Amino acid sequence: MRVVVPFVQSLFFLLILCALPRLALAQATVTLSGYVRGATDQGVLPGASVAVPALNTGATADEKGFYSLPLPAGRYALVISFIGYETITREINVNRTQRISFVLPEAANELGEVIVEGSGTLEQKLQTTQMSVERLTTREAKLLPALFGEVDLLKTLQLKPGVQNGGEGTSGLFVRGGSSDQNLYLLDEAVVYNPSHLFGLFSVFNPDAVQSVDLYKGGFPAQFGGRLSSVVDVKLREGNPKKLGVSGGLGLISSRLTVEGPIVKDKGSFILSGRRTYFDVFTRQINKLNADDPEFNPIPNYYFADYNAKANYRLGPKDQIFLTGYYGRDVFGFNSANSFNFDFTWGNTVAALRWNHVFSPKLFMNTTASYTNYDYAVTNKIDQFSFNLSSRIHDIALRTDVEYQPNERHTLKFGGATKAYRFGVGRLQAGSKDGRLGFGSDVSYRGQEGALYASDNFKASDKLQLEYGLRATYFQSDSNRYVGLEPRAAVRYSLTPNMSLKASYAMMYQYVHLVTNSGASLPTDIWYPSRQSVKPQRSQQVAAGVSFLLGRGQFLLTNEVYYKWAQNQIDFRDGAQLFVNSDLDAEFLFGKGWSYGNELYLEKKTGRTTGWMGYTLAWSKRKFAPQRGTTGINNGADFFPTYDRRHNLTVVVLHRLTERLNLTGSFVYSSGAPTTLPQGRFVFQEVYGAEAVAVPIYPDRNSYRLAPYHRLDLGLVWNLKPNRLFDESDLTFSIYNTYNRRNPYFIYFDQIKDPNSDQVTGYRARQVSLFPIIPSVTYNFKF
Amino acid sequence: MGLYVKNILTRGMWRLLALVLLLGAVSCENLQQDIDVVIPTAPAQLVVECYLEPNQRAQLTVSETAPYLSSPIPVVPSDVTVVISGPNRQRETLLYNPGFNFITGKVYTHSSRSRLLIRPGDVFTLEAKDTKGRIVTGTAKMPATVPLDTVEFNFNDRPVQQREAIVLGRFRDPLATLDFYRFQIHRDSISQNPEVDYSIEDRLNEGKEITLGTSYEFISGDLLIVTLFHLDQPYYRFLQSTQNARNANGNPFAQPAAIQSTVQGGIGVFTILSYQRRSLVIR
């Protein structure tokens, strides 16, 4: 705790330091503040712009949709804009500090957002100190073609530079050379521990319920911490406070339904949203029809379902509360004729209660209490024997964030968070029905995590803007205690009105670790706390970039370079026993990782044709020296992790053909993924009886590259005319993998056998692909 | 138990992946294809497989590693000389002299003339050398024998003609030592593939009675040979690593792992078997 005391002193020093300019600059300024909301559902619009062109100044709504804009007294035209909404201009006589909220009408149709919307958002990106951030709205994602027509926000984020997927069709994110467990997924400020369904093929975030997603790849603001590589901040919609509405969609593999409306008109609203896949309905019927066929191998049953709920209520002009809930389950099972039964369920449960209080236009506070849980349970029965294996992590958290704008040059953010964890690493019950065989094991830990932070966004001049902060973190599990100081800094310098230079630095600590021994996102991956021998992961990242506004503000060209280095990276010794192991600590190996690259990004958000192009040139490496009685990994030599890609190109185009027809397309190309293939083999006879087998010998880890991955997806959104049933409806057509490329998923070596003698005559390499060309259609409606 | 759980989960994951592949195969197209891969070849290494047993002649196999996609015919060098040494001045040089052991069903390339006197705790060494200068060495210590206290079977409650039996074996794990076991059940002869083959460690059963069982899979009249091996850690790890390496080929979720040989200078295993064996007839 001795480290924390100087930190608190530093925090006060920082606050005082930031308040000093206020004394020096004290003058007759007033502050406009309030919320920016969308007209249809009255949901807040984080990132919306409130600009005063006459003064060449403005403010951006924060993640709660709240803006605060200090201005000298006078009469001004305010321009309020946000992607997907019509830009409005309001003439306002600003003579006192006051609260004014704005409501933006939605653009005429879904693609209208890219036609009507001004260039404000690109200008904001140029002007802000925050770099390495990607914002995505559901409305954008819904236009793009999707696998099976299932709109997926995380997969859309994979189309941004610096973000890799975890394999064909999966929604896992690998950001700037970080692993999949180094992303912090927040759903209305509560952590989501497993963001995917079915091997990551679908994310847990139902697009109908989500308002927006922000992905921070670097330059992390001080209010975020806990993971090394990225923060994925998902905000749910708040529901329509004006009238009751129903919307939904019928797709190839799932259907969605959303109900929203006012609780008390203009004071509070709710939204309930659910979706469920239904291929189990078909597989059950197929199994039933083939029940009498002894040769038929029953198809396993699988479905996932998730439900989102959110309600908000304005207690008064200064107070509002929000309640968020999420519950999702994947259910999988099969019963074989030989009495082998296997049932497997997993999923997240999330709840968050947020209180939003505006002390004054300059002082704003947000307090959130949250609960989150991820668990899985496996039940296996063979004859009279059974075993039950389960694992879970849950936390209860409380955090407060305060934003204070003492003057037009400083915006202070400070706050704290505390979290209590329970890690149920593994619970096993095995035995026989008659009780003669019985076995049980339960490994669980507790943990506490705390954080204090403060930051200041300092507008030193029209050209120079700085953001600096410090985050102090604390973690304890049993008698193991760790503290960390995480400095954060970012700077933006405008060379010209259309050109900015930016740079940032961030240090991050991660105290919880995902125990996974594969590149895929498996539901059986378990979270594990930092302990005596498992030190916290730590990373530092520097990034620098330049942004140009081109084509009269229609294009933004950004180039960023980054270098990230990390300590205490985690892997496992060869043959590690990760299940039912009371001494899991002994299986860990610790090493270091580093990654660097260049991200080039061109985006266009106005006109009939919009979209973006991104090209990333990157390297990611890891090194695990000999340790703990092992030779480390690769005998201590560097190696590329499976998510290393040298080149990555994405092109996304959205084109409005007519008022009602929108054509979209996306193309991705990435270098082949590193993988490990057997170099040689040897014959192993075994001790008694067993037939001789060929055992593969694996060379250095990930020393082989799969073929490059590329794919073109096309989509067509046809907005139908309003009819008796629905106010709005559309048909969305998608073609995934349009030119039917056989992209490699994995390679294996197989025996070639003589069909007559069944003798092995040779070996061959086989490549497995996951998805061929897949057309799909989805019908969406709203009334 | 951990290994069992891992196998069950792997089986479950494969079923789940099969479902995904089913989704992908909606167009009924073949998603697998032969491809050419270029993998750098490494120099061939000597592979030794040697299990010593008390009062038995040493028999071992020496072969060579081969590129994976090469001919499946094993490469067996004939220029390897093997020396096995143990306590009480036991030392014998074994020359290339291939044969077949009808009891174990194994081929061997080298065999000793005399039977080895080995007791629990005895340490033996092996050195295999060829004319190219390749040398493989290994050391093995015989683990104490752990008695198989009881072996029993029980029928299920189906009609007599259809009833099947489980087999249970019980033994007590020694206190305060890290122990590894292998439990095998052969039907009729140990030269056949075992019907049951578990390898476990005592981490979760330290010092307790351990019961290992089968499913209902044996019928009246079956002659079963039940063997409980007490393994040393290097041999257990070698077994695990060969299993892991085999499972990793074709499993996109597995992390391919290196073979953890018990010998140095090459690949393979040199160990001394310590086991108890019981025979029973299901009736």
Side-chain angles (χ1 to χ4, degrees), chain A residues 34 96 151 179 234 291 309 338 349 459 477 512 557 571 601 668 731:
Chain A
R96 60 186 170 83
V151 176
S179 57
V234 180
N338 60 0
T349 306
K459 195 172 179 184
S477 179
V512 296
L557 178 66
D571 213 306
Y601 187 43
V668 294
L731 279 169

Side-chain angles (χ1 to χ4, degrees), chain A residues 685-686 688 690 748 766, chain B residues 32 34 49 53 106-107 182:
Chain A
Q685 292 201 93
E686 262 281 23
Y688 281 112
Y748 69 98
R766 303 274 287 163
Chain B
Q32 293 195 28
D34 286 355
E49 197 174 348
E53 290 188 47
K106 300 298 171 191
V107 172
R182 188 173 191 182

Side-chain angles (χ1 to χ4, degrees), chain A residues 455-509:
Chain A
S455 69
D456 177 31
N457 189 306
F458 174 40
K459 195 172 179 184
S461 70
D462 285 346
K463 292 192 168 189
L464 181 66
Q465 196 170 353
L466 305 159
E467 181 154 346
Y468 41 89
L470 189 64
R471 183 179 177 88
T473 52
Y474 168 79
F475 185 84
Q476 177 173 358
S477 179
D478 297 332
S479 58
N480 310 293
R481 296 184 180 88
Y482 295 99
V483 292
L485 283 179
E486 306 174 25
R488 313 282 172 85
V491 59
R492 185 265 301 166
Y493 184 78
S494 298
L495 282 174
T496 71
N498 291 326
M499 183 177 175
S500 290
L501 300 176
K502 297 182 184 183
S504 67
Y505 166 83
M507 179 185 279
M508 304 288 274
Y509 275 81

Side-chain angles (χ1 to χ4, degrees), chain A residues 542-577:
Chain A
V542 288
V546 57
S547 298
F548 301 92
L549 207 53
L550 307 169
R552 288 180 298 174
Q554 284 197 93
F555 296 90
L556 183 70
L557 178 66
T558 304
N559 192 71
E560 288 190 14
V561 291
Y562 67 89
Y563 186 84
K564 182 160 72 176
W565 62 107
Q567 283 78 40
N568 298 331
Q569 298 302 279
I570 283 172
D571 213 306
F572 300 92
R573 69 168 179 81
D574 279 349
Q577 183 52 263

Side-chain angles (χ1 to χ4, degrees), chain A residues 427-740:
Chain A
R427 185 167 191 274
L428 177 75
Q429 289 294 325
S432 59
K433 267 185 193 169
D434 58 14
R436 286 192 300 172
L437 288 179
F439 177 80
S441 165
D442 191 356
V443 181
S444 63
Y445 303 106
R446 291 181 184 277
Q448 290 82 42
E449 187 172 345
L452 291 170
Y453 74 89
S455 69
D456 177 31
N457 189 306
F458 174 40
K459 195 172 179 184
S461 70
D462 285 346
K463 292 192 168 189
L464 181 66
Q465 196 170 353
L466 305 159
E467 181 154 346
Y468 41 89
L470 189 64
R471 183 179 177 88
T473 52
Y474 168 79
F475 185 84
Q476 177 173 358
S477 179
D478 297 332
S479 58
N480 310 293
R481 296 184 180 88
Y482 295 99
V483 292
L485 283 179
E486 306 174 25
R488 313 282 172 85
V491 59
R492 185 265 301 166
Y493 184 78
S494 298
L495 282 174
T496 71
N498 291 326
M499 183 177 175
S500 290
L501 300 176
K502 297 182 184 183
S504 67
Y505 166 83
M507 179 185 279
M508 304 288 274
Y509 275 81
Q510 180 166 337
Y511 296 104
V512 296
H513 321 281
L514 193 63
V515 178
T516 177
N517 210 4
S518 73
S521 169
L522 298 182
T524 49
D525 296 344
I526 45 185
W527 287 92
Y528 200 74
S530 292
R531 296 178 57 76
Q532 187 169 18
S533 58
V534 183
K535 305 282 190 262
Q537 299 179 61
R538 191 180 82 218
S539 77
Q540 296 177 80
Q541 184 183 163
V542 288
V546 57
S547 298
F548 301 92
L549 207 53
L550 307 169
R552 288 180 298 174
Q554 284 197 93
F555 296 90
L556 183 70
L557 178 66
T558 304
N559 192 71
E560 288 190 14
V561 291
Y562 67 89
Y563 186 84
K564 182 160 72 176
W565 62 107
Q567 283 78 40
N568 298 331
Q569 298 302 279
I570 283 172
D571 213 306
F572 300 92
R573 69 168 179 81
D574 279 349
Q577 183 52 263
L578 302 184
F579 296 105
V580 197
N581 186 343
S582 57
D583 187 22
L584 204 53
D585 286 21
E587 309 287 0
F588 285 77
L589 295 178
F590 304 97
K592 58 184 182 180
W594 61 100
S595 53
Y596 47 93
N598 185 85
E599 296 167 1
L600 186 65
Y601 187 43
L602 176 69
E603 55 186 322
K604 180 175 184 287
K605 287 186 177 290
T606 57
R608 287 171 70 93
T609 303
T610 61
W612 68 84
M613 289 173 63
Y615 169 69
T616 307
L617 174 66
W619 285 260
S620 177
K621 281 195 167 185
R622 292 189 145 207
K623 183 183 175 76
F624 289 76
Q627 58 189 283
R628 313 183 94 191
T630 73
T631 56
I633 296 174
N634 276 5
N635 292 312
D638 304 351
F639 67 96
F640 295 111
T642 53
Y643 43 84
D644 173 69
R645 303 285 188 281
R646 194 69 58 248
H647 305 280
N648 196 309
L649 174 72
T650 57
V651 180
V652 175
V653 177
L654 305 92
H655 181 70
R656 190 180 68 133
L657 286 170
T658 69
E659 262 317 284
R660 298 196 174 277
L661 279 180
N662 306 301
L663 182 66
T664 60
S666 63
F667 173 77
V668 294
Y669 171 92
S670 62
S671 307
T675 192
T676 310
L677 292 183
Q679 190 176 49
R681 59 178 155 76
F682 67 95
V683 175
F684 180 44
Q685 292 201 93
E686 262 281 23
V687 59
Y688 281 112
E691 287 174 6
V693 292
V695 178
I697 303 166
Y698 290 95
D700 292 346
R701 187 178 285 192
N702 298 336
S703 57
Y704 184 82
R705 293 265 175 182
L706 297 175
Y709 181 100
H710 51 92
R711 195 187 80 232
L712 173 70
D713 302 337
L714 294 175
L716 183 75
V717 181
W718 179 20
N719 293 305
L720 305 173
K721 288 180 180 174
N723 55 40
R724 279 187 305 141
L725 288 175
F726 303 122
D727 298 336
E728 292 174 31
S729 60
D730 70 63
L731 279 169
T732 301
F733 301 91
S734 282
I735 304 176
Y736 182 87
N737 195 6
T738 305
Y739 54 84
N740 205 14

Side-chain angles (χ1 to χ4, degrees), chain B residues 90-109:
Chain B
Q90 295 184 83
R91 178 184 170 87
E92 189 164 350
T93 301
L94 289 65
L95 299 176
Y96 180 69
N97 181 25
F100 183 77
N101 184 327
F102 288 93
I103 296 172
T104 61
K106 300 298 171 191
V107 172
Y108 57 84
T109 58

Side-chain angles (χ1 to χ4, degrees), chain A residues 21-213:
Chain A
R22 184 169 63 130
L23 300 174
L25 296 169
Q27 55 181 312
T29 57
V30 296
T31 302
L32 280 187
S33 65
Y35 292 92
V36 183
R37 298 176 184 278
T40 304
D41 63 3
Q42 295 289 304
V44 295
L45 302 177
S49 164
V50 181
V52 186
L55 299 177
N56 196 24
T57 188
T60 302
D62 67 10
E63 59 268 28
K64 314 294 178 309
F66 190 78
Y67 78 94
S68 181
L69 177 61
L71 294 170
R75 190 172 182 82
Y76 303 106
L78 271 64
V79 179
I80 304 97
S81 61
F82 188 60
I83 187 167
Y85 294 82
E86 291 188 21
T87 300
I88 60 172
T89 303
R90 294 282 181 272
E91 190 92 359
I92 293 175
N93 190 13
V94 182
N95 50 20
R96 60 186 170 83
T97 291
Q98 57 189 301
R99 284 191 58 184
I100 300 178
S101 292
F102 300 102
V103 176
L104 296 184
E106 270 189 35
N109 58 53
E110 283 192 309
L111 263 195
E113 65 187 85
V114 292
I115 300 161
V116 179
E117 181 250 343
S119 59
T121 52
L122 293 183
E123 281 173 10
Q124 284 170 26
K125 286 185 80 167
L126 183 77
Q127 298 297 335
T128 180
T129 49
Q130 179 66 52
M131 61 188 303
S132 311
V133 67
E134 305 294 345
R135 168 159 290 160
L136 188 70
T137 63
T138 300
R139 295 163 58 79
E140 277 179 304
K142 278 186 169 178
L143 290 170
L144 294 173
L147 177 62
F148 299 114
E150 292 295 312
V151 176
D152 194 311
L153 296 159
L154 298 188
K155 282 185 199 158
T156 309
L157 285 175
Q158 291 168 355
L159 298 171
K160 302 288 186 177
V163 185
Q164 279 298 329
N165 63 38
E168 170 81 87
T170 61
S171 60
L173 302 181
F174 295 82
V175 180
R176 289 187 170 174
S179 57
S180 63
D181 70 319
Q182 294 173 348
N183 306 310
L184 179 67
Y185 292 94
L186 296 173
L187 180 69
D188 277 350
E189 300 186 15
V191 174
V192 176
Y193 285 99
N194 184 347
S196 60
H197 295 293
L198 188 58
F199 290 135
L201 284 184
F202 307 100
S203 81
V204 298
F205 305 113
N206 177 353
D208 283 359
V210 173
Q211 173 79 22
S212 64
V213 183

